[in-house]
């Protein structure tokens, strides 16, 4: 009993202890009792615990800390938990509460990891939300302007104006280090908030640099900027046309500059009258504005050189969206079920669809009823295009 008492006193530090290599209870008890025949098997649970810890600690990623942080992130915030539930519904998995891991009980790590894996799709979406919100904000710039770019009758200058607008917005966001509030909110409790923010700002710069590089070819058409018939046209001068004339001459389009000067003066008078009488004119597409002007002039000699410039300019395709639309129409008609259609038949169908795309079925029906010649061809046995 005395030996056991002395051991316990040593254990709580009331007696001077000698330094020992092993400090577990069995070693101390064995040394205090001086009983060599005491047998100890150790604790297999702790052996496995320590084995696992030693192995896991060699990993570069601290899984234990991640599990603890994920649990702590949601444990006391009902709003975050509800948001996680929504993400679970979004990815179609059943929500289950995250489990708490105890550093002193490594057996608790397995069920915690298992639970995180079950919720991983939702957790991944949740913690990627800052990236998703940023991407959504960034793409909103492109989405609205892409719709404008792909409009059917856009000209090169109109496309250039849209791209310059996108470039301007990207530059302003980069200069102001702009991040949407939705992004800032999700970065508020993130240890890497500053790093992620810098990453987002660098995205603006990359988008800006790429856009600047690829819109450079459009600078060749700066000489045609006078053709955008703006309401504020009092500053428009004939000298603005000189670079355009030289551009066309290099490409084999001869412009009589004497005639062009007089025709230009007539154009300015027309635009000033429209500024006073018909402001809606300047809201039309560029090709529509020029069409109205040409129709308003009775004698072709009054716009012959302007017409040459317009014929060249509007022949330039501003984008390939129209071509892609035609390919889509062809794929719709030339399907596996209709793979024996001849090229001529497909061509005729596509021409009809494309040229009458703005006409409803009822309008097309009425159009056919009024066209006697076309009705007779439809009723005949002869082939027609």
């Amino acid at each position: 009993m005395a030996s056991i008492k002395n051991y316990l006193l040593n254990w709580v530090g009331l007696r001077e202890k000698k330094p020992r290599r092993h400090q577990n209870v069995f070693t101390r008890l064995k040394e205090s009792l001086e009983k060599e025949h005491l047998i100890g098997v150790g604790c297999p649970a702790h052996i496995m615990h320590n084995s696992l810890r030693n192995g896991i600690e060699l990993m570069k990623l601290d899984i234990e800390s991640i599990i603890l942080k994920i649990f702590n992130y949601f444990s006391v915030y009902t709003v975050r938990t509800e948001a996680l539930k929504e993400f679970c519904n979004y990815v179609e998995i059943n929500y289950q509460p995250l489990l708490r891991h105890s550093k002193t009980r490594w057996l608790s790590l397995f069920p915690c990891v298992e639970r995180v894996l079950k919720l991983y799709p939702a957790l991944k979406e949740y913690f990627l939300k800052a990236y998703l919100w940023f991407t959504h904000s960034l793409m909103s710039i492109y989405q609205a302007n892409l719709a404008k770019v792909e409009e059917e009758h856009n000209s090169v200058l109109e496309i250039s104006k849209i791209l310059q607008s996108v470039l301007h917005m990207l530059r302003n966001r980069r200069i102001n280090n702009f991040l949407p509030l939705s992004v800032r909110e999700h970065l508020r409790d993130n240890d890497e908030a500053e790093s992620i923010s810098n990453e987002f700002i660098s995205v603006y710069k990359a988008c800006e640099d790429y856009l600047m590089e690829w819109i450079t070819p459009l600078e060749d058409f700066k000489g045609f900027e006078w053709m955008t018939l703006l309401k504020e046209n009092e500053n428009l001068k004939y000298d603005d046309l000189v670079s355009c004339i030289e551009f066309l001459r290099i490409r084999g389009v001869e412009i009589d500059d004497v005639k062009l000067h007089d025709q230009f003066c007539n154009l300015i008078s027309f635009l000033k009258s429209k500024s006073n009488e018909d402001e809606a004119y300047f809201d039309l597409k560029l090709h529509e504005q020029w069409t109205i002007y040409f129709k308003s002039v009775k004698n072709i000699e009054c716009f012959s050189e302007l017409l040459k410039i317009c014929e060249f300019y509007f022949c330039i395709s501003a984008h390939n969206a129209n071509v892609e639309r035609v390919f889509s129409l062809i794929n719709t008609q030339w399907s596996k079920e209709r793979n024996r259609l001849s090229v001529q038949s497909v061509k005729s169908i596509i021409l009809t669809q494309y040229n009458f795309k703005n006409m409803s079925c009822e309008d097309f029906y009425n159009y056919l009823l009024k066209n006697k010649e076309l009705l007779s061809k439809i009723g005949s046995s002869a082939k027609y295009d």
Side-chain angles (χ1 to χ4, degrees):
M1 291 296 294
S3 297
I4 296 176
K5 182 179 179 181
N6 290 334
Y7 165 75
L8 293 175
L9 288 174
N10 284 331
W11 178 257
V12 297
L14 296 180
R15 293 202 179 198
E16 184 180 357
K17 299 184 295 232
K18 296 179 181 179
R20 295 183 178 89
R21 183 178 178 184
H22 299 289
Q23 299 295 316
N24 59 56
V25 175
F26 174 76
T27 302
R28 291 188 176 189
L29 186 60
K30 184 176 180 180
E31 291 179 354
S32 298
L33 296 177
E34 297 180 354
K35 299 291 186 181
E36 296 295 334
H37 62 274
L38 288 178
I39 299 174
V41 295
C43 177
H46 278 82
I47 293 172
M48 295 180 66
H49 169 282
N50 293 333
S51 172
L52 178 60
R53 178 183 290 276
N54 289 335
I56 291 293
E57 285 180 351
L58 292 178
M59 295 173 60
K60 293 182 179 179
L61 199 64
D62 191 344
I63 297 296
E64 188 179 10
S65 295
I66 291 174
I67 295 298
L68 288 169
K69 286 184 176 180
I70 290 176
F71 175 82
N72 292 333
Y73 185 84
F74 291 100
S75 61
V76 294
Y77 296 98
T78 305
V79 174
R80 293 176 181 176
T81 301
E82 292 301 318
L84 179 59
K85 289 179 181 179
E86 292 180 7
F87 277 96
C88 287
N89 291 331
Y90 175 74
V91 297
E92 298 180 347
I93 60 174
N94 294 325
Y95 169 77
Q96 294 176 287
L98 291 164
L99 301 178
R100 184 184 185 89
H101 167 57
S102 171
K103 280 183 171 289
T104 60
R105 293 185 65 253
W106 262 69
L107 286 177
S108 69
L109 185 62
F110 176 77
C112 291
V113 172
E114 190 174 43
R115 182 61 53 85
V116 167
L117 287 174
K118 286 181 179 178
L119 299 179
Y120 179 74
L123 289 168
K124 182 177 69 172
E125 293 290 333
Y126 185 94
F127 288 107
L128 283 175
K129 198 169 184 180
Y131 284 85
L132 293 173
W133 277 118
F134 174 77
T135 305
H136 181 269
S137 172
L138 178 63
M139 291 190 67
S140 65
I141 299 176
Y142 290 86
Q143 186 71 15
N145 287 285
L146 271 172
K148 296 178 183 177
V149 165
E150 292 186 348
E151 289 180 4
E152 185 175 352
H153 297 293
N154 273 331
S155 65
V156 176
L157 289 175
E158 288 168 307
I159 294 295
S160 179
K161 184 178 179 181
I162 295 170
L163 294 178
Q164 289 293 339
S165 174
V166 173
L167 188 62
H168 181 70
M169 285 188 280
L170 289 170
R171 184 174 292 123
N172 284 340
R173 289 195 179 193
R174 174 178 59 81
I175 293 173
N176 297 322
N177 292 326
F178 170 77
L179 293 178
L181 289 176
S182 55
V183 175
R184 294 179 185 273
E185 180 182 347
H186 284 86
L187 293 179
R188 190 172 298 154
D189 300 319
N190 195 315
D191 295 337
E192 299 182 2
E194 183 177 356
S195 173
I196 295 174
S197 298
N198 293 334
E199 180 182 350
F200 289 161
I201 301 304
S202 67
V203 171
Y204 289 138
K205 184 66 167 62
C207 293
E208 182 185 340
D209 290 344
Y210 186 89
L211 202 56
M212 286 182 64
E213 179 181 354
W214 285 92
I215 65 176
T216 300
L218 295 179
E219 293 180 0
D220 293 341
F221 298 97
K222 279 188 174 295
F224 291 87
E225 287 182 346
W226 64 272
M227 293 185 63
T228 55
L229 305 180
L230 303 177
K231 182 179 178 181
E232 302 80 11
N233 49 62
E234 52 271 3
N235 295 325
L236 192 60
K237 300 177 181 179
Y238 178 77
D239 288 344
D240 298 328
L241 279 67
V242 175
S243 60
C244 175
I245 298 171
E246 294 173 348
F247 178 91
L248 293 173
R249 187 167 294 168
I250 293 173
R251 287 155 181 80
V253 180
E254 293 296 331
I255 303 295
D256 188 329
D257 59 333
V258 177
K259 289 184 179 179
L260 180 61
H261 177 269
D262 297 335
Q263 294 174 10
F264 174 76
C265 293
N266 291 334
L267 174 64
I268 294 299
S269 299
F270 171 81
L271 294 176
K272 288 181 177 178
S273 67
K274 284 295 182 182
S275 298
N276 298 328
E277 301 171 4
D278 186 11
E279 294 186 359
Y281 170 82
F282 298 96
D283 294 329
L284 298 173
K285 300 290 290 184
L286 188 56
H287 74 284
E288 294 173 328
Q289 295 180 37
W290 277 99
T291 300
I292 291 174
Y293 170 69
F294 289 141
K295 287 182 177 179
S296 70
V297 183
K298 295 181 180 179
N299 190 344
I300 192 173
E301 291 299 321
C302 296
F303 61 80
S304 59
E305 306 309 302
L306 288 173
L307 182 60
K308 288 181 184 177
I309 297 174
C310 285
E311 286 175 340
F312 179 91
Y313 173 76
F314 286 109
C315 279
I316 301 170
S317 179
H319 54 69
N320 64 347
N322 289 332
V323 177
E324 297 293 340
R325 292 188 186 104
V326 171
F327 286 150
S328 296
L329 289 173
I330 293 174
N331 288 333
T332 302
Q333 297 300 325
W334 212 341
S335 61
K336 292 181 179 180
E337 293 76 14
R338 307 179 69 192
N339 58 9
R340 300 190 67 180
L341 282 172
S342 66
V343 173
Q344 187 60 41
S345 296
V346 174
K347 176 183 175 181
S348 301
I349 293 171
I350 299 307
L351 283 172
T352 303
Q353 283 189 321
Y354 191 85
N355 292 324
F356 292 94
K357 60 181 176 295
N358 296 323
M359 187 179 290
S360 65
C361 293
E362 182 180 357
D363 293 337
F364 185 67
Y365 174 75
N366 294 327
Y367 167 78
L368 291 177
L369 290 180
K370 294 176 182 178
N371 194 321
K372 303 294 185 181
E373 182 181 357
L374 187 56
L375 283 175
S376 63
K377 289 184 177 181
I378 292 174
S380 69
S381 57
K383 292 184 177 181
Y384 55 91
D385 295 332

